């Protein structure tokens, strides 16, 4: 469902050129759950921006559900992003003046759904993440783990092809982290493709596949050794 071939991205930094992604190739399959792990400066954010259709590479291909995203203009990219990707962030990024239900409804407002349909869809997503009975709570009335569940429900609301989670457990204690990871596993079992970006190996290991990124190159965990990613 995702095929990345020979993706390259560089930045100019004064006189220097930084090769943030060097010839990255990677396939992501239906039902996949992969984590991307790497130290600071390894290219994680750059790769996430590519995967999330927030930016395009200098060269190479990015096929998402059969469409080449790598050559799209900003406006097309924004459309693909809205339809295909559900974003989950470290700090939840909820709107504090809106209830849990309203936060989840928000992406559906932009899609032009009617109020009743929006409400039903948002409620179903909150039920799915175990927050039935908390529709009217404000984010400030919820624990960190519950807030991340609201954010996951919001990411699910638009029925995206991929859930892209950037350090989703980074702001949570270890017990709550495990609960959120468990939820991601359950969603994966229901068929959602999940890409988890993290710097924490224990978190990364919860995924079905661990991709390591180092100096802009991508390696796949093949047992004891990190081998070049499957192409
Ligand atoms: P990570 O998210 O793993 O910390 P990044 O993708 O942010 O890594 O960065 C990869 C490399 O690209 C680093 O050397 C970083 O300094 C460089 N880089 C990232 N963004 C820019 C930018 N906008 N301009 C110049 N260099 C950048
Ligand atoms: P950081 O990695 O610095 O913690 P975030 O995880 O908040 O930053 O955001 C990662 C990237 O996603 C940024 O480039 C940001 O501009 C973008 N972004 C943030 N919120 C949204 C959103 N709701 N929809 C699409 N892109 C977003």
């Amino acid at each position: 469902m995702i095929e990345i071939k020979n993706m390259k991205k560089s930045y100019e930094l004064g006189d220097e050129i930084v090769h943030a992604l060097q010839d990255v190739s990677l396939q992501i399959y239906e039902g996949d759950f992969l984590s991307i792990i790497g130290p600071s400066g390894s290219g994680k954010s750059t790769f996430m921006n590519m995967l999330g259709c927030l930016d395009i590479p200098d060269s190479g291909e990015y096929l998402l559900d059969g469409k080449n995203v790598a050559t799209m203009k900003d406006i097309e990219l924004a459309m693909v992003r809205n339809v295909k990707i559900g974003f989950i962030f470290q700090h939840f990024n909820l709107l504090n003046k809106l209830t849990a239900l309203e936060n989840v409804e928000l992406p559906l407002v932009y899609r032009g759904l009617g109020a009743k349909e929006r409400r039903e869809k948002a409620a179903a997503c909150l039920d799915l993440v175990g927050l039935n009975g908390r529709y009217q709570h404000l984010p400030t009335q919820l624990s960190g783990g519950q807030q991340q569940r609201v954010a996951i429900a919001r990411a699910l609301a638009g029925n995206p092809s991929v859930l892209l989670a950037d350090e989703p457990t980074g702001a949570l204690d270890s017990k709550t982290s495990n609960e959120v990871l468990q939820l991601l596993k359950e969603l994966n079992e229901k068929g959602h493709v999940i890409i988890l970006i993290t710097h924490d190996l224990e978190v990364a290991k919860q995924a079905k596949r661990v991709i390591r990124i180092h100096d802009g190159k991508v390696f796949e965990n093949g047992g004891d050794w990190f081998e070049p990613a499957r192409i």
Side-chain angles (χ1 to χ4, degrees):
M1 70 164 321
I2 289 182
E3 189 163 5
I4 290 169
K5 278 196 220 159
N6 308 110
M7 185 183 270
K8 292 186 188 167
K9 180 76 178 181
S10 307
Y11 299 105
E12 276 179 42
L13 202 61
D15 295 340
E16 227 188 304
I17 294 182
V18 180
H19 299 287
L21 294 178
Q22 309 193 45
D23 214 17
V24 167
S25 295
L26 183 69
Q27 277 212 359
I28 300 174
Y29 307 95
E30 296 288 338
D32 230 338
F33 181 1
L34 62 87
S35 56
I36 297 172
I37 184 166
S40 182
S42 59
K44 288 192 302 298
S45 300
T46 304
F47 197 36
M48 197 202 103
N49 287 343
M50 301 296 154
L51 286 166
C53 301
L54 294 157
D55 198 0
I56 57 165
D58 299 332
S59 62
E61 278 184 13
Y62 175 10
L63 299 177
L64 175 56
D65 290 334
K67 280 195 188 147
N68 191 5
V69 177
T71 54
M72 283 186 181
K73 303 218 177 345
D74 282 354
I75 182 111
E76 293 172 282
L77 215 54
M79 274 165 59
V80 171
R81 184 163 66 229
N82 287 332
V83 175
K84 303 273 185 194
I85 320 257
F87 291 90
I88 301 164
F89 303 100
Q90 177 171 4
H91 298 292
F92 325 131
N93 296 13
L94 298 173
L95 295 177
N96 281 327
K97 294 208 166 118
L98 300 185
T99 63
L101 193 68
E102 287 165 343
N103 266 285
V104 180
E105 272 186 54
L106 212 50
L108 302 173
V109 174
Y110 298 131
R111 286 172 174 235
L113 258 68
K116 185 164 176 283
E117 209 181 335
R118 263 186 348 240
R119 199 133 300 178
E120 284 171 4
K121 177 87 189 146
C125 290
L126 283 171
D127 293 350
L128 194 65
V129 300
L131 286 180
N132 39 328
R134 297 224 159 64
Y135 297 170
Q136 302 306 328
H137 284 57
L138 296 171
T140 48
Q141 296 170 320
L142 297 170
S143 70
Q146 289 171 335
Q147 289 183 53
Q148 191 60 298
R149 284 171 191 272
V150 175
I152 293 170
R154 178 186 57 189
L156 289 168
N159 233 351
S161 304
V162 178
L163 288 181
L164 190 55
D166 185 13
E167 298 281 2
T169 60
L172 303 175
D173 63 47
S174 61
K175 180 170 173 283
T176 313
S177 289
N178 285 333
E179 287 166 7
V180 165
L181 288 168
Q182 190 54 41
L183 173 61
L184 292 177
K185 282 186 198 175
E186 284 165 20
L187 292 172
N188 176 244
E189 276 160 23
K190 291 196 170 116
H192 294 279
V193 170
I194 297 176
I195 304 175
L196 172 62
I197 289 129
T198 180
H199 67 276
D200 184 336
L201 186 59
E202 288 311 308
V203 171
K205 278 178 175 168
Q206 305 297 314
K208 287 177 179 166
R209 296 167 65 193
V210 181
I211 306 292
R212 185 165 285 224
I213 185 161
H214 196 82
D215 289 343
K217 296 196 186 92
V218 157
F219 303 88
E220 179 145 8
N221 189 351
D224 292 342
W225 298 93
F226 279 92
E227 295 174 345
R230 263 188 273 163
I231 299 174

